[in-house]
Each structure stands twice: as structure tokens, then as C-alpha cells.
Amino acid sequence: MNSQTKSAALSADLNNFIYGVSRRNFQNAPELTKIGILLLKNFPAARDAVLEYFAMVFHDAVNVSLNHGDYESDSSANGSLESVTIIGPELCSLGDTWAPFIAPWCINLIMDIATDKANLPNATLQSTEPVRVLLDITTQNLTMLNSEERAKCIDMMLGCRACSWAVGWVGRAEPALVAPRALALGADAARAVLAHLANHPPALFHVRAAIVDLFQEAIKEDGQPEKKREVIPYLLNLASKSDIVLKALTQDIENTLTDEVLDRLGAVCAAHKHSVAWEGVGPASVVTLLLRSDVHCLFLLLKHTQRNVFSRQLLEHLLQKLEYECLFPDRNIPLLMSAAEEIATVRERLLTGNQREQYTLARILILVCNTLPSEFVSTISYLLQYSRNDTTLALLVRIISGTITMHTPNDSTDISTDTERYQNLIKTGVEYALREAMMSDTQIKKCFIENATFNDEKTYLHHFCLNIIKLLRWEGSNRVSYLRTRSISRAVEGNLQRVGAALHEYASLLRVRNTYTMNSLPELPTCHALAELLDRVDITGTKSPPPSVEAILKVVQATVKYFFRCLHIKDAMEKISGVQSACRLLRKLCAQSKLARALALRDLLETAMFREERAFGSRPHAAAPSPHHHLLMHLNQQHGPITQLTQSHTSVFHAGIIGKGVRKAGGPDDADIPPILTTNNELLMGALMSCMDGNSGIVEGATSVSLLLVELVSPDVMYNGLPWPDEDFTKQVSIERELYMRGAVERCAVSRAALRRVARARPALCLASALLRAAAATLLHRLRAHLDRHAQSAEAARELSALSELLSVMALGQLLPHPLSHMLELAPELTASELVQVLRDCLWNYTRDHVPSPALFTCDASGLHWRDPSTCKPPSTYTDTLRLIIQKRISKLGHLYPIMFLNLDKES
């Protein structure tokens, strides 16, 4: 197309544009808009006219958007809106050369629209499509200008109060230019601009930089106080109205307000505090700002209370204001919300700060915990774990009591109402502390890896127990008013099962001991602390509802484990102290529950007899075969299936002990019977007696022990009754069973000591007839085998010792009446044949015909069970053998005759 044709086309477009605009009809606005765009590109002289028309289109489009219902029937309404969508992309794509014209035009248009629609809310105006398009055009063209041109444009917008929202929107692209210029305005104007700028988070950095520069300039010592005396009041006033300014002021405030800066600020305040601008700056306004700030401002205030009286007064004013504001639950206080977000830092400073910091932060925590129950639980858990002195424990009590009784008058009758409501939270806090302390003990600790000095060799669980014990002591002293409600005791009682599980785990000898953790520290102090903790709480149900059966049984098992753990302690005093703690716990637990008593007795006996037998001097049931010795089965398997020579060594089986090979002289089975009067045995018997309370409890407990002994020793349930059979029956039927039972009892010192203890509760020994019968039967048959020719052998001496023990137990249990009870004194002087006669005619036949039964015993008024000697005199059939033996050896045994038979002769 030649130039003449272009000119003709341009002239036609210009005529059409002028004609269309003159009609002032926006129905054909899209066609005129397209013509205007062509004129801008091809005929720059028409720029002002085209832009003026575009402004008319934008004004009409804004009216259409705001009053869409009124324009629904007008076909020209859509024309303006369609034109706006065409204008936007075109004006943004004109390039750098057009930006100096387009940007001011857009800003002036925005100012006109904002002024014209000043009665509308900013949010409504910004939501219209034409205004959003106009803001986008402005933002994109501003980025194409140089810094000087951009500054002029920003200043144009800041000069219009009605378009502060537009400054905030456009300022997102240039926050570094907008922020300092906005601060140069008045407080209200600056607040409006910065409020819109705050919707763009990256702008906060530039706002903060501008504020810090303004603040630093205000406190600079340059000899021009007149220009900056109002800066501090202005910033405080602006911060009270603008959240972004307050956030910018308080962000990283501890690094901004250093000691040097605060000294200069104090000098400025002292010099200008009497001026007019400073009249609105006082403690009340500062406290109001602090309520809206974060917790780091509080930390900074606490830091300067040590040397500044005004800071101390301000702190007290702030705390009182906080407590007052908390009277209204519907109010959200930013300072408390910030404290809740930084709760870990608050708690840490509570432990490490000075006295003023500790008491201040305790008051803050009370307010936070009253609002957020979850933080109440976590605060209790944290302080129970990490408190290391009485001061912080006292603060814990203050936080608990303050949270529960907050804003409750001291003379109120409902002061304990909230205590019940918060009791479950305290219980949960104790539970969390216990669990987290155990978890902390298993975590790798930096101090172990770096070989740092570690003076306090206590596990986290140990510290937790010490803190709980200290609180229970304060509770028991009745000097702390709040603790009189037994809140700590009830919380521990609610976690009784978990405490018992912790004791069970730490008392185990097979516990995993990971290196570089608290688990590698000695566990006994922690066990003692757990036992003391359990000992201090009420587990009997006298002061509170009784614990569950599951919890009681768990604590019983843990206490038994702890008892046997204490038996391995080398230090005598520590050992006795630990055993006494375990016995006290067993006494408390078993006094209220027969099920607990049964479990405790079973656990004590089973553990002592089968798992901890070496601690009581017992011998294992079967020693492991030596690799150098052949088993009896292997030796016998070497014999061929066919006998080659009569009576040859290949046709004779080896005799020995199954599982151990050929019997060897002086082997472990030939060793002496282990002693029963050892320290550990006495401690075990004391623990068994602790499970029994009162005469009825002793009889019942001894009965349980007797039945348990039979159950644990007897290989089956046959022949465990009370009757004694004929002597021939044992020889033909049950001798192997009785040999096994006697060997099991003799190897186990615990079982023999328990039999003696059972014999003292006399009816209970009758239920152990199977054990007594097994010992008597084996003694009878072995003594008959030895006779006189083996009287001096070591085996015969062991048999005599076993006989003496059997007779002493039966005499102690009153199973042998007078004069049969004196067989114990005769036994050492009798030969093997005489012992056989006495055992058969006196002991066995008497017990066969007079079955040892609890029915033989009567209970007197004091609860003591015994047999009346006048009603249980044995017939002469069972005493004649003794009489004849004494008469036969009157020279040696004559002194026993009047003791045994004189009274019988007189009575007969």
C-alpha cells in the first residue's frame, strides 16, 4: 500500500473516530476502541484525543460494573466492558516509549475515578473489572520508567487521599519507593496506604527498612532536633493504627533496640517529653502497643527491667492489663497468641531466667494455659521433666493453681469447682511427662559423644520421679493450700499402671542399654525413685477411688521385679533399703486385693525357684553337660545290637544319670544340701510375709504358699492329696515320683525355707503333705538300703540331715504330737535299722492312720491355730517302738524317757 492510500485510510479512521465520539454512544465502543488503538500507533498527534476517549470508556465501564442491574436492558453496556478488555493488553504492549505517557494518564484516571466514587468502599471499587485492568496497565508501565519518573508517578498518587488503595496496589511493584514516601504523610494517610501495601508480604521488608531509617535518623546526634522531635510520637501513633507498621517495628526488635540505641532513645525522650507532640505518648499507649506485639517485645522489656525503673512500672502495667483483658474470653490478645506460638522459648526462659523473669513468665503462662488447655498439659509435662530446683517446682504449683482458680475470688464457695474440671488435664500432663522422660532416656545425647563433663548422672525418668516426690511431700505437709486437694496424688494414681510399667522395665536385668544415651547410666537410682513414688501415693483406695485391677496387678509384677533386682545390690544398706521399699509396696497392694496377693506370692516363689535360684544358694535342676563328658544315652548307643560274649562289657549298659553321663564320685549331685538360712532367703521370706496381713491373712497366705509349693514341685497332679498310703504303695507305685519331688525340694533352698515358714501357720502345712510324704518315703527306702554297714558314709550323713529337717518341719507344724515330736532328738543317736523302724512304725503309720488335715487344728480367740495336746495323744501302737528303743539303749537315751513317756504313763 502506497503512502497516498495509507493517508486516505488514516483520514477515514480519524473521521470515523471523531464522528463516533461526537455521538457519545457507547454501543459501538469496541469499533471505536479498535480505531483509537490504530490511531495511537499510526497517528501520534491523536494521542490526547484517543486517551481522552479511553478515559470516557473506563468511566462508563466502572458505572456499568457498579450498577449492573440497571444496565441489563441497555445494549451499550456490554460495549464499554468489551472495550476495556481490548484497551488493557494494547496499552501494556506499546513499549518503553509510550510508558511516560501511559503511566501518568492511568494515574490521573485512577485518581478521578477514586475521587468520583469516594463514597463507595474501597473493596467494592477494586473488585470491578475496569479498575483491575487499569491497575494492571499502571503497574506494568511503571516498571518501564526510570527511577525519577516512577517517583513522580508515586508522588502523584500519594497526593490524592481517595486513592490510597491504588497506591498500595501499585506499590507492590515498587515497595521501596512507596514505603518511605508513605511515611512522609500524616498518620492517617500513611496508615491507609500501608494498610493496602500490607496485603503484599514482600513489602514488609521495605516498610521495615524505611521505618528503621526514619527511627535511626530521629535519634541521631547531629544537632538538628527541630526536624525530628516528632518522629518517635509519629511512629508510635502510626503503629497504633497500622498493623504492618507495628509488625515492622517489632520484627527482630532485640537486634534493633540494642543497649546503645536505647540509651540514645532515652535521651531523646527526656529532652522532648514535654513538647506537644509527645503528649499522647505515655505508658498507656505503649502498653496498648505491647498488647498487639509479639512475645519478643516482652523479652526485651524483661531484659531492661534490671536497670530501668520505667521498664519495671511498664511491665507491671502490662501484666495487669493482660489479666483484665483475659476477663473477656471473646477477645484475642496478639501478645498471648504470640506467647502460645513461642511457648517452647517461654518455658525455657522460665527455667533459666532471673527471679523477675520467672515470676513474670509464670503469670503469662497462667493466662495462656487458661485460654489453651493443651498448653496447660504441655507446660505441666515440661516442668515435671526439666525442673531441677524447688523454685521452678513452686512455679509449677503456682501455674496450676493460678490457671484453675483464675479470676475466682478468694472467698468464693466455688473455688474448687474448676479443680475437678482440670484434674484430667493434670493427669494427662503427668502421663505425657512420664512417657517423654522414658523416650528422652533412649535418645543419643551430645554430652556423651563429645565427652563433656556430666556431673548429674541421673536419667530423665529419675528427675521426673524426684520432682513428683517433692510435690507429694509438699502435698503431705499440708502447708500448700492448693495441694490440699491432692491433685498431684490423684494424677499419679491415675497413671499407676504406667508408673508400674516403668519400674518393671528399669528393674529388668535384661534391659537394652544403648550407648550414648541416658539408658547407659546406672538404673538402680531410677528404680529406687520409682519405688518411692509408688510408696508415697495412695494405692489402697482410702483417700480416693481404688485403682483398677489391671493397674494393681501391673504394679505387683513391677514390685516383684524390683525386689529381685535389689537382691543383686552389693551394698548392704542400699540392698536392705530397696527390699524394705518393695515389702511396703507389697503389703499395701495385697492388703486390699486377694488377687494381688495370689499374684505376688506366685511371682515371688516362681522367680526365686526357677529364675533367680542362684541368688538363694539353690542348685540348678540339671547342670549342662561338659563337652568333654559323654551323655549316658550316647554311651549306651555304642553297644552293638547283638551280644557277642556273655557278660562282656559290650552287653552291659552303663549306669549313670540321664543327661549327665556316667555317675562320677564327688559330682554335683553328691554335694551337700545347700543351706537355707541365707540373707536372701530371709529377705524373700520377709517379702512373702509382707503379702499377708493379720492372722487370717497369714493363714490364707501360707495356705496359698503351700499349694504353690506342691504345684511347682510336683511333676503331675496325681497323689497330691492329704492321705498317706501304705508303705508298700510308695515302694511299688510312686517311688520315682517321690524321688523327683525330694530332689527338687533339696536342690531348692527357697522351697525348704518356705516350708518352714508355712509350718508356722500350722493348718497350711497339711496341704503340703505330698512334699512331706515324698521326703519320708525316700528316706525310708534309702535308709533301709544302707543299714548299718553304711552308717559312716557321707551319703548316710546327708540322709540323716534330710531326716532331721523333715522331723523339725513336721514338729513345727504340729503334725507329730507328743511324744512323736521328740523323734528329732533321738534321730542322731539311732542306727540305720532303728531309723527305719521309727520311720515306719511311728511316723508313717501314724500319719497314714491320722491324716494331716486342717480340721485337726482349732482357732482360739486371738486367731491362732493349734492342736490341743490333750486330745491328740497317739495310741501306744505308734509309740511302742520308741519306748523299746529307748529301753534297749537306756544308758545312752535314758534322759529322754521321762520327757517322752512319763506323763503318758501317768495319764494312762
Side-chain angles (χ1 to χ4, degrees), residues 420-439:
E420 295 300 325
R421 183 165 64 91
Y422 278 88
Q423 184 59 45
N424 286 335
L425 297 178
I426 300 174
K427 172 189 170 184
T428 306
V430 173
E431 176 187 349
Y432 285 4
L434 175 61
R435 184 182 64 219
E436 291 171 7
M438 296 182 67
M439 292 174 60

Side-chain angles (χ1 to χ4, degrees), residues 466-736:
L466 294 179
N467 290 333
I468 291 288
I469 291 170
K470 180 63 68 67
L471 291 174
L472 293 177
R473 287 177 182 171
W474 292 351
E475 189 178 275
S477 67
N478 209 26
R479 295 180 180 178
V480 184
S481 58
Y482 168 70
L483 292 181
R484 292 172 185 170
T485 60
R486 299 187 67 254
S487 58
I488 305 300
S489 293
R490 290 158 60 189
V492 178
E493 290 160 10
N495 291 283
L496 193 63
Q497 184 174 350
R498 296 177 180 84
V499 178
L503 177 60
H504 191 279
E505 178 181 345
Y506 277 73
S508 176
L509 286 172
L510 302 178
R511 184 170 63 96
V512 178
R513 307 287 297 278
N514 296 327
T515 56
Y516 305 121
T517 66
M518 294 296 183
N519 249 344
S520 61
L521 295 176
E523 72 282 351
L524 274 176
T526 304
C527 294
H528 295 328
L530 284 166
E532 184 179 356
L533 174 59
L534 290 170
D535 192 21
R536 286 184 175 274
V537 297
D538 178 34
I539 55 180
T540 61
T542 56
K543 298 180 181 179
S544 59
S548 64
V549 175
E550 184 180 3
I552 289 292
L553 297 184
K554 189 66 177 180
V555 176
V556 167
Q557 292 175 330
T559 305
V560 172
K561 177 75 73 174
Y562 171 66
F563 169 80
F564 286 104
R565 184 66 183 86
C566 290
L567 293 182
H568 293 275
I569 300 175
K570 296 182 179 180
D571 183 71
M573 295 304 297
E574 183 183 0
K575 178 177 181 178
I576 297 300
S577 176
V579 168
Q580 288 177 346
S581 296
C583 290
R584 283 196 303 271
L585 279 174
L586 290 174
R587 185 177 294 106
K588 289 181 181 180
L589 294 165
C590 298
Q592 302 296 322
S593 172
K594 292 184 178 180
L595 184 60
R597 176 188 299 168
L599 178 62
L601 292 175
R602 176 177 289 276
D603 275 2
L604 285 170
L605 280 178
E606 283 188 349
T607 305
M609 292 175 64
F610 301 115
R611 291 186 287 275
E612 297 283 350
E613 68 275 3
R614 294 187 183 276
F616 300 93
S618 302
R619 296 199 307 267
H621 177 69
S626 171
H628 304 291
H629 298 160
H630 296 284
L631 297 179
L632 185 65
M633 179 179 65
H634 295 163
L635 293 174
N636 288 328
Q637 286 175 349
Q638 294 177 1
H639 298 290
I642 300 174
T643 302
Q644 298 178 1
L645 296 174
T646 305
Q647 299 298 326
S648 70
H649 69 279
T650 59
S651 63
V652 179
F653 284 96
H654 291 281
I657 302 173
I658 295 176
K660 297 183 181 180
V662 179
R663 185 187 299 273
K664 297 175 178 59
D669 291 289
D670 296 330
D672 294 334
I673 297 174
I676 63 172
L677 296 179
T678 63
T679 302
N680 288 351
N681 269 322
E682 288 301 308
L683 295 177
L684 177 64
M685 294 304 109
L688 291 174
M689 295 305 296
S690 297
C691 300
M692 314 170 195
D693 187 23
N695 288 331
S696 59
I698 291 176
V699 173
E700 183 180 350
T703 301
S704 299
V705 172
S706 183
L707 293 173
L708 280 172
L709 285 173
V710 175
E711 177 185 344
L712 297 175
V713 172
S714 176
D716 50 46
V717 296
M718 297 179 62
Y719 315 121
N720 283 343
L722 302 183
W724 289 48
D726 290 334
E727 178 194 354
D728 292 338
F729 178 83
T730 61
K731 180 169 55 177
Q732 299 173 3
V733 177
S734 60
I735 186 61
E736 291 184 4

Side-chain angles (χ1 to χ4, degrees), residues 331-406:
R331 296 185 182 178
N332 291 327
I333 305 173
L335 179 59
L336 291 184
M337 296 174 63
S338 174
E341 294 174 358
E342 300 279 347
I343 194 71
T345 305
V346 175
R347 292 175 188 143
E348 184 178 354
R349 296 189 67 146
L350 179 69
L351 295 179
T352 60
N354 55 48
Q355 185 177 11
R356 181 176 286 107
E357 290 178 344
Q358 287 180 329
Y359 281 91
T360 299
L361 294 177
R363 293 173 67 176
I364 295 294
L365 284 173
I366 288 173
L367 300 178
V368 173
C369 293
N370 184 262
T371 307
L372 301 172
S374 60
E375 298 302 339
F376 180 64
V377 171
S378 59
T379 299
I380 294 174
S381 173
Y382 181 86
L383 292 178
L384 284 177
Q385 292 179 76
Y386 300 107
S387 179
R388 298 294 182 264
N389 51 58
D390 291 355
T391 302
T392 49
L393 275 183
L395 290 175
L396 171 61
V397 175
R398 183 172 181 177
I399 291 171
I400 294 175
S401 61
T403 303
I404 295 176
T405 61
M406 186 176 175

Side-chain angles (χ1 to χ4, degrees), residues 220-232:
K220 185 185 298 183
E221 300 176 357
D222 56 358
Q224 297 179 352
E226 300 299 331
K227 296 182 180 180
K228 55 192 180 184
R229 64 173 57 181
E230 298 180 357
V231 172
I232 302 300

Side-chain angles (χ1 to χ4, degrees), residues 171-172 175-176 179 183 194 196-212 242-252:
R172 296 179 180 183
L183 291 176
L194 295 176
H196 296 287
L197 196 61
N199 296 325
H200 185 53
L204 178 63
F205 171 79
H206 300 282
V207 174
R208 171 172 167 73
I211 290 175
V212 170
S242 174
D243 289 335
I244 188 173
V245 173
L246 179 62
K247 187 174 182 180
L249 280 173
T250 57
Q251 189 179 47
D252 201 18

Side-chain angles (χ1 to χ4, degrees), residues 32 77 192 272 275 280 287 298 308 350 376 461 472 503 550 591 600 669 838 852 876:
L32 290 177
H272 303 291
S275 62
V287 165
L298 177 64
N308 194 318
L350 179 69
F376 180 64
L461 183 60
L472 293 177
L503 177 60
E550 184 180 3
D669 291 289
V838 169
S876 59

Side-chain angles (χ1 to χ4, degrees), residues 227-276:
K227 296 182 180 180
K228 55 192 180 184
R229 64 173 57 181
E230 298 180 357
V231 172
I232 302 300
Y234 168 76
L235 288 177
L236 293 178
N237 185 22
L238 185 59
S240 66
K241 299 177 180 180
S242 174
D243 289 335
I244 188 173
V245 173
L246 179 62
K247 187 174 182 180
L249 280 173
T250 57
Q251 189 179 47
D252 201 18
I253 192 172
E254 291 174 323
N255 294 330
T256 303
L257 294 182
T258 61
D259 293 343
E260 181 183 357
V261 171
L262 282 172
D263 291 339
R264 284 187 284 156
L265 178 61
V268 172
C269 294
H272 303 291
K273 64 181 180 180
H274 299 295
S275 62
V276 178

